[in-house]
Coordinates of all heavy atoms in Angstrom, one line a residue:
G545 N 161.3 -18.6 135.1 CA 160.5 -19.8 135.0 C 161.1 -20.9 134.2 O 162.2 -20.9 133.8
E549 N 158.5 -24.7 129.3 CA 157.0 -24.5 129.5 C 156.5 -23.2 128.9 O 155.3 -23.1 128.7 CB 156.6 -24.6 130.9 CG 156.8 -26.0 131.6 CD 156.1 -27.1 130.8 OE1 155.0 -26.9 130.4 OE2 156.8 -28.1 130.6
Q550 N 157.5 -22.4 128.5 CA 157.1 -21.1 127.9 C 156.9 -21.2 126.4 O 156.6 -20.2 125.7 CB 158.2 -20.0 128.3 CG 158.2 -19.7 129.7 CD 159.4 -18.9 130.1 OE1 160.2 -18.4 129.3 NE2 159.6 -18.6 131.4
G554 N 152.9 -28.0 120.2 CA 151.7 -28.5 119.4 C 150.9 -29.5 120.2 O 151.4 -30.1 121.2
A555 N 149.8 -29.8 119.7 CA 149.0 -30.9 120.3 C 149.7 -32.2 120.4 O 149.4 -33.0 121.4 CB 147.6 -31.0 119.5
D565 N 173.0 -22.7 109.3 CA 174.4 -22.5 109.4 C 174.7 -21.2 110.1 O 174.2 -20.1 109.7 CB 175.1 -22.6 108.1 CG 176.6 -22.5 108.2 OD1 177.1 -21.4 108.4 OD2 177.2 -23.5 108.0
V574 N 165.0 -28.9 108.3 CA 164.0 -28.7 109.3 C 163.6 -30.1 109.9 O 163.5 -31.1 109.2 CB 162.7 -28.1 108.6 CG1 161.5 -28.1 109.6 CG2 163.0 -26.8 108.0
A575 N 163.4 -30.2 111.2 CA 163.1 -31.4 111.9 C 162.1 -31.1 113.0 O 161.6 -30.0 113.0 CB 164.4 -32.1 112.4
R579 N 160.0 -31.8 124.1 CA 160.6 -31.3 125.2 C 162.0 -31.9 125.6 O 163.0 -31.3 125.8 CB 159.7 -31.3 126.5 CG 158.6 -30.3 126.5 CD 157.7 -30.6 127.7 NE 156.6 -29.6 127.7 CZ 155.5 -29.6 127.0 NH1 155.3 -30.5 126.1 NH2 154.6 -28.7 127.2
A587 N 171.5 -29.1 126.8 CA 172.4 -29.7 127.7 C 173.7 -30.1 127.1 O 174.8 -29.9 127.6 CB 171.8 -30.8 128.5
Y593 N 166.9 -34.3 117.9 CA 165.6 -34.1 117.4 C 164.7 -35.3 117.8 O 165.2 -36.3 118.3 CB 165.6 -34.1 115.9 CG 166.5 -32.9 115.3 CD1 167.7 -33.1 114.8 CD2 166.0 -31.6 115.4 CE1 168.5 -32.1 114.3 CE2 166.8 -30.5 114.9 CZ 168.0 -30.8 114.4 OH 168.8 -29.8 113.9
W594 N 163.4 -35.1 117.5 CA 162.5 -36.2 117.7 C 162.2 -36.8 116.3 O 161.7 -36.1 115.4 CB 161.2 -35.7 118.4 CG 160.1 -36.8 118.5 CD1 159.1 -37.0 117.7 CD2 160.1 -37.9 119.3 NE1 158.4 -38.1 118.0 CE2 159.0 -38.7 119.1 CE3 161.0 -38.3 120.4 CZ2 158.7 -39.9 119.8 CZ3 160.7 -39.5 121.1 CH2 159.5 -40.2 120.7
G605 N 173.5 -37.1 113.4 CA 174.8 -37.6 113.2 C 175.1 -38.9 113.9 O 176.2 -39.4 113.8
G609 N 177.8 -39.5 111.5 CA 178.9 -38.8 112.1 C 178.8 -37.3 111.8 O 179.6 -36.4 112.3
Q612 N 175.6 -31.7 114.5 CA 175.5 -30.3 114.5 C 175.8 -29.7 115.8 O 175.1 -30.0 116.9 CB 174.0 -30.0 114.1 CG 173.6 -30.4 112.7 CD 172.2 -30.2 112.4 OE1 171.3 -30.1 113.3 NE2 171.9 -30.1 111.1
C621 N 158.6 -15.4 117.4 CA 157.7 -14.5 118.1 C 156.5 -15.1 118.7 O 156.0 -14.7 119.8 CB 157.3 -13.3 117.3 SG 156.5 -13.8 115.8
D624 N 156.5 -20.9 118.8 CA 156.2 -22.2 118.3 C 157.1 -22.7 117.2 O 156.8 -23.7 116.5 CB 154.7 -22.2 117.8 CG 154.4 -21.2 116.7 OD1 155.4 -20.5 116.2 OD2 153.3 -21.2 116.3
Q632 N 177.7 -27.2 111.1 CA 177.5 -28.6 110.6 C 178.8 -29.3 110.4 O 179.6 -29.1 109.5 CB 176.7 -28.5 109.2 CG 176.4 -29.8 108.6 CD 175.5 -30.6 109.4 OE1 174.4 -30.2 109.8 NE2 175.9 -31.8 109.8
G634 N 181.2 -32.3 109.5 CA 181.1 -33.2 108.4 C 180.6 -32.6 107.1 O 180.7 -33.2 106.0
T640 N 170.4 -37.4 102.1 CA 170.7 -37.7 100.7 C 172.1 -37.5 100.4 O 172.6 -37.7 99.2 CB 169.9 -36.8 99.7 OG1 170.3 -35.5 99.9 CG2 168.4 -37.0 100.0
G641 N 173.0 -37.1 101.4 CA 174.4 -36.9 101.2 C 174.7 -35.5 100.7 O 175.8 -35.2 100.3
R642 N 173.8 -34.6 100.8 CA 174.0 -33.2 100.4 C 174.2 -32.2 101.6 O 173.8 -32.6 102.7 CB 172.8 -32.7 99.6 CG 172.6 -33.4 98.2 CD 171.4 -32.9 97.5 NE 171.3 -33.4 96.2 CZ 170.8 -34.6 95.8 NH1 170.3 -35.4 96.7 NH2 170.7 -35.0 94.6
T644 N 172.6 -29.5 102.3 CA 171.3 -29.0 102.8 C 170.2 -29.9 102.3 O 170.3 -30.5 101.2 CB 171.1 -27.6 102.5 OG1 169.8 -27.1 102.8 CG2 171.3 -27.3 101.0
F646 N 167.5 -28.6 101.3 CA 166.8 -27.7 100.4 C 167.6 -27.7 99.1 O 168.1 -26.6 98.7 CB 166.6 -26.3 101.0 CG 165.6 -26.4 102.2 CD1 166.2 -26.6 103.5 CD2 164.3 -26.4 102.0 CE1 165.3 -26.7 104.5 CE2 163.4 -26.5 103.1 CZ 164.0 -26.7 104.4
V661 N 175.4 -34.2 95.3 CA 175.6 -35.2 96.4 C 177.1 -35.1 96.7 O 177.9 -35.3 95.9 CB 175.1 -36.6 95.9 CG1 175.6 -37.7 97.0 CG2 173.6 -36.7 95.7
D664 N 177.8 -40.5 98.9 CA 176.8 -41.5 98.6 C 176.1 -41.9 100.0 O 176.8 -42.3 100.9 CB 177.4 -42.6 97.9 CG 176.4 -43.7 97.6 OD1 175.3 -43.8 98.2 OD2 176.7 -44.5 96.7
G666 N 174.6 -44.4 100.8 CA 174.9 -45.9 101.1 C 176.2 -46.0 101.8 O 176.4 -47.0 102.5

Side-chain angles (χ1 to χ4, degrees):
E549 294 307 315
Q550 295 171 3
D565 184 282
V574 176
R579 285 173 177 81
Y593 300 105
W594 176 257
Q612 293 174 338
C621 58
D624 63 359
Q632 180 64 57
T640 66
R642 292 175 173 85
T644 173
F646 296 92
V661 172
D664 182 335

